[in-house]
Amino acid sequence: MSLDVLIFDVDGTMADTEEAHRTAFNLAFERVRLGWNWSRDVYRRLLKTTGGKERLAAFIQQLDLSPTERQRMLARVPDIHAEKTKFYSSVVHDRAVPLRDGVERLLDEALSAGLRLAIASTTTAVNVDALLESTLGTRGLNLFSVIACGDQVRAKKPASDIYRLALHHLGVAPDRAAAFEDSANGLSAAVAAGLWTVVTPTFWTEGSDFSAAGLVLPSLGSPAAPLAGEPGRQLESAAWLTLAELERRAAPERPSSAVTRLYATA
C-alpha cells in the first residue's frame, strides 16, 4: 500500500508562527487599550487551548472580573481577534515567518510523486492564505487540494473534526494519508481520525506527550539542514525524512492473505 495524501497542520508545523501570533495579540491589546501583554511563558500555557478566539476566551475566564464585566469582555472577543489578525497578516506578509526546515522540500517531493496535499488547521483561512503566499508565492494555495480551517468545524483540536472534514473532501481513507503536527492537541486530533502522524515539536510544544505519534523529529530536515544523529537514531535512509521512508513507515506493505493471493493469480 502507498500513500495518496499528506495532510499538514499550519501553525507550528509548516512554520513556527507562534511568536508572530503572540506579537500580534499584544499589538491588538495595545490598539484596543486593554493593557494586557502575553509573555512567552503565558502564551505557551495558553496554547493548550486551540483557536485564537477560543484562546482569548480562555484567558478572559481566568481574569478576576465580575460576571457582568466578564460577559462584556467575552462579547468583545471577535473584534479583538479581528484586530489581531490584521497585525498577524502584516507580519507574515513582510516575510518574517519562514517555513520550517524540510517542509517545502517534502511538499515538492510529494507532488512530484503524484501525491495530493491538504491542510487541516485550527487557524483562520486568512492566516493560512497569508502564510502560504508569503512563503510559497503565488503557487502556495494551488499546491493544496483541500484547505480545511478551524471556522469550518464545530469542535477544534484535540477533536478530530478538522481531519475528518479534510479526509471527507479528499475522498480518501485514513490509511492512505499521513498527518504532520507539532502539538499534543494536534496529534490527538489526527490519531483520533485514524491518521499515522509525524510530530515536529517547537519551543511552544516540546515536552508534551507524543507517544501516540508514528515518528517524532526536531524537524523534517533537508540536505542543507540535516538532522543530528541521522540516519541511525530514528531515520534509516538519510539525515532528513524522505518521502520513500515516510511511505514505508506510514503505509507498510501488509502480508497478503490466501484469498488475495488466489485472486492475484487467477
Side-chain angles (χ1 to χ4, degrees), residues 84-167:
K84 175 261 174 181
T85 297
K86 293 176 187 175
F87 283 116
Y88 175 79
S89 296
S90 177
V91 171
V92 172
H93 280 307
D94 286 342
R95 303 184 186 278
V97 183
L99 293 179
R100 293 184 66 186
D101 288 337
V103 170
E104 186 170 6
R105 171 192 60 79
L106 189 58
L107 296 178
D108 287 337
E109 284 183 20
L111 289 172
S112 295
L115 277 69
R116 289 180 292 164
L117 301 173
I119 281 174
S121 172
T122 57
T123 197
T124 63
V126 172
N127 287 346
V128 172
D129 289 358
L131 182 70
L132 294 181
E133 181 180 348
S134 70
T135 57
L136 296 167
T138 55
R139 72 179 187 129
L141 287 174
N142 295 328
L143 296 181
F144 297 89
S145 298
V146 169
I147 297 178
C149 297
D151 291 343
Q152 296 173 279
V153 293
R154 179 173 298 179
K156 295 187 177 181
K157 300 172 185 177
S160 62
D161 298 33
I162 196 69
Y163 277 106
R164 295 186 187 279
L165 179 66
L167 290 167

Side-chain angles (χ1 to χ4, degrees), residues 6-28:
L6 304 186
I7 308 178
F8 286 81
D9 170 55
V10 173
D11 289 329
T13 303
M14 291 186 67
D16 190 351
T17 57
E18 298 303 353
E19 182 61 21
H21 280 296
R22 185 183 73 89
T23 299
F25 272 116
N26 287 335
L27 289 170

